[in-house]
Amino acid sequence: MEPGGGRWLVLVIKLPAEPSRHRVAVWRELRRTGALSLGQGVWAVPDVPVFAGGIARALSLTEKAGGQAVSLNASGRGAEDAVRFQALFTAARSEDWKEFLADCGKFEEELAKEVRIAKFTLAELEEEEQSLERLRRWHRDLTARDVFGAPEAAEAGKRLKECAAACEDYAERVFRALHETAEDDR
């Protein structure tokens, strides 16, 4: 059986036009949650627990902004609707994974640059480890939201491991450079 059993949570949200920061805050929360925009103020997610916290935060932001929200449980009228909706949701996750993969590439390029210029400092290592931790959190969050398994997910897992290995290699280079002595230079 597919996640959510073909059931979806649909949100219809109406917010005051001003100040726009409220609309932006709700939009960001729904995007961060992985909700699929179906049109002006209409969002949907599979009806599974992983989305509950983000949806609750978006509804709370809507209420605090003086807006209105209606939550509906939904399913397609036929099997083709469920398939179409799942495809739309998976396509959105694919875009998320592509962005993640691009960031993995940037991370590896950054490490390669630091090795090339021999910038082996603890401060730089700490910065790179923080970037790797951000990638790990992002991967965890995307994995949780990718309830139907976008095709890019497997490649993303592989690339994250490669990033971790590259960071470990960089850390070893930093520690070697920091522990060199004047005798080592002779």
Side-chain angles (χ1 to χ4, degrees):
M1 178 184 276
E2 64 186 50
R7 306 248 340 130
W8 300 86
L9 177 62
V10 177
L11 304 172
V12 180
I13 296 177
K14 184 174 182 180
L15 290 159
E18 295 298 328
S20 64
R21 65 182 154 81
H22 295 301
R23 284 192 324 279
V24 171
V26 171
W27 177 83
R28 281 186 178 149
E29 187 58 44
L30 289 166
R31 291 282 303 138
R32 185 179 310 119
T33 297
L36 182 63
S37 175
L38 300 178
Q40 182 99 14
V42 181
W43 298 81
V45 294
D47 191 6
V48 294
V50 71
F51 299 106
I55 296 302
R57 286 188 297 275
L59 293 174
S60 176
L61 288 168
T62 299
E63 185 179 309
K64 288 176 184 172
Q68 298 173 342
V70 175
S71 302
L72 305 168
N73 289 318
S75 61
R77 292 187 69 180
E80 67 279 354
D81 291 327
V83 168
R84 186 176 307 116
F85 203 75
Q86 182 175 329
L88 289 169
F89 191 82
T90 300
R93 299 298 69 84
S94 288
E95 291 304 312
D96 292 342
W97 284 121
K98 288 174 187 173
E99 186 178 349
F100 175 85
L101 288 166
D103 272 25
C104 285
K106 291 175 189 172
F107 178 77
E108 290 172 326
E109 288 170 13
E110 174 67 18
L111 284 176
K113 181 190 87 165
E114 301 307 347
V115 169
R116 191 173 55 256
I117 65 173
K119 187 174 182 183
F120 301 124
T121 66
L122 284 177
E124 187 60 35
L125 175 58
E126 186 174 312
E127 184 178 315
E128 299 305 339
E129 286 174 336
Q130 288 173 359
S131 294
L132 178 60
E133 188 53 37
R134 183 187 67 78
L135 285 172
R136 285 181 173 141
R137 283 190 312 270
W138 191 9
H139 184 271
R140 181 196 65 225
D141 293 347
L142 288 177
T143 299
R145 290 195 311 249
D146 188 13
V147 296
F148 301 114
E152 295 82 2
E155 174 69 14
K158 179 177 170 259
R159 289 298 306 280
L160 181 59
K161 288 178 184 173
E162 292 169 356
C163 287
C167 191
E168 184 61 32
D169 176 69
Y170 180 69
E172 289 175 19
R173 291 172 187 257
V174 168
F175 291 127
R176 268 198 314 268
L178 294 174
H179 294 135
E180 286 180 346
T181 64
E183 290 179 18
D184 294 337
D185 294 334
R186 290 186 206 153

